[in-house]
Amino acid sequence: MSAPNKSYDPVEVEALKPENIERMRDEALAAFAAADSLEALQEAKTAHAGGTSPLSLANREIGALPPQAKAEAGKRVGQARGAVNKALAARQAELEAERDARVLVEESVDVTLPHDRVPAGARHPLTTMMERVADVFVSMGYEIAEGPEVEAEWFNFDALNFGPDHPARQMQDTFFVEGPKGPGGTDGGSGVVLRTHTSPVQARALLDREPPVYVVCPGRVYRTDELDATHTPVFHQIELLAVDEGLTMADLKGTLDHMVQSLFGADMKTRLRPNFFPFTEPSAEMDMLCYVCRGESVGNPDRPCRTCSSEGWIELGGCGMVNPRVLTACGVDPEKYSGFAFGFGIERMLMFRHNVEDMRDMVEGDVRFTRPFGMEI
Ligand code: PHE
């Protein structure tokens, strides 16, 4: 920097020479014009308009000039800096506009594109239905009990009072995993089957617990049926067992009524028709009032009902008082205790409750079937 108070010729100050100021200005303008991005412009700004840029340094020289030289140099530098700042602002605006236009294109959202999030799944309606039924009983104090799907023949049949020649034991009806090895074999004469119903859990529950026993057993069962609109070799049942002192058929009926009322509405009811199961005595077939026509289609040709074929009732499953032989086989004293049990298929219930016409829809795993049942948890 030049020393103050010296007799001073501005031309002597290299940095303030007009051609130098012009060059600094032109270099700045060229650098701004050449900057092709906001980052490059920022660099050019630091170099040509920042505190240590040649023009700023030149500007500082002015302070040391004698008064008569200050005005002229000040004007020259001021004009140059003005032009530089103007060019900088213009280029800045230009580059920002370019960037905004580019961002609009690059970051625009095409709402028609397929989304890339994993869609939330819907639970299978069989699962939700099974849980809904089980919940009716859990809220009454019943406990959920489970048993294996690959089951000892003894639990599936013998403990339930099926005679050795009962037709259900035939290969035509039951999937055998292993045949019986004979009375002397390690399995005590019992083969291994895929359980054909959830009733073996009755026997397991009684062997595991001391009465009173109140259990509900949802689960998968197997029968040698071909898959078609109304049959599937793998399906689901829900079983109920209550064993306590003094239980009667009235308790069974009251429990069934409570279940259908909880699931289908307060005016629902059930009816029992005589039937036979080896493990219940007496045994009954249980029907529920048709939840669509509430029985009003019966004898009323003007109001036919597809759900119950205008019969007014829908068959649900089997039930009865636990056969004393089953209690004995499971170590429960039939003189002291009595019990009731029932079991029914979940697929069937789903079919008539939701007008599902083909059981195959339930096993094929197509989400277009499950999704309309919603996101219930
Ligand atoms: N287990 C029987 C079936 O699969 C139903 C049933 C359960 C009957 C309990 C009576 C008692 O058909």
Side-chain angles (χ1 to χ4, degrees), residues 196-199 202 223 237 239 277 279-280 318-320 341-343:
T196 58
H197 50 178
T198 41
S199 300
Q202 288 190 29
R223 290 186 197 171
Q237 283 190 334
E239 184 95 7
F277 296 103
F279 44 97
T280 45
C319 65
F342 62 79

Side-chain angles (χ1 to χ4, degrees), residues 265-311:
D267 58 338
M268 286 297 291
K269 54 185 181 186
T270 56
R271 75 172 180 188
L272 302 182
R273 287 177 292 120
N275 197 3
F276 173 80
F277 296 103
F279 44 97
T280 45
E281 182 57 38
S283 301
E285 202 67 39
M286 54 185 186
D287 297 343
M288 62 174 232
L289 195 63
C290 173
Y291 78 102
V292 174
C293 72
R294 294 319 211 230
E296 282 173 20
S297 64
V298 183
N300 190 352
D302 299 336
R303 277 202 54 191
C305 178
R306 272 175 50 196
T307 304
C308 65
S309 311
S310 301
E311 286 180 10

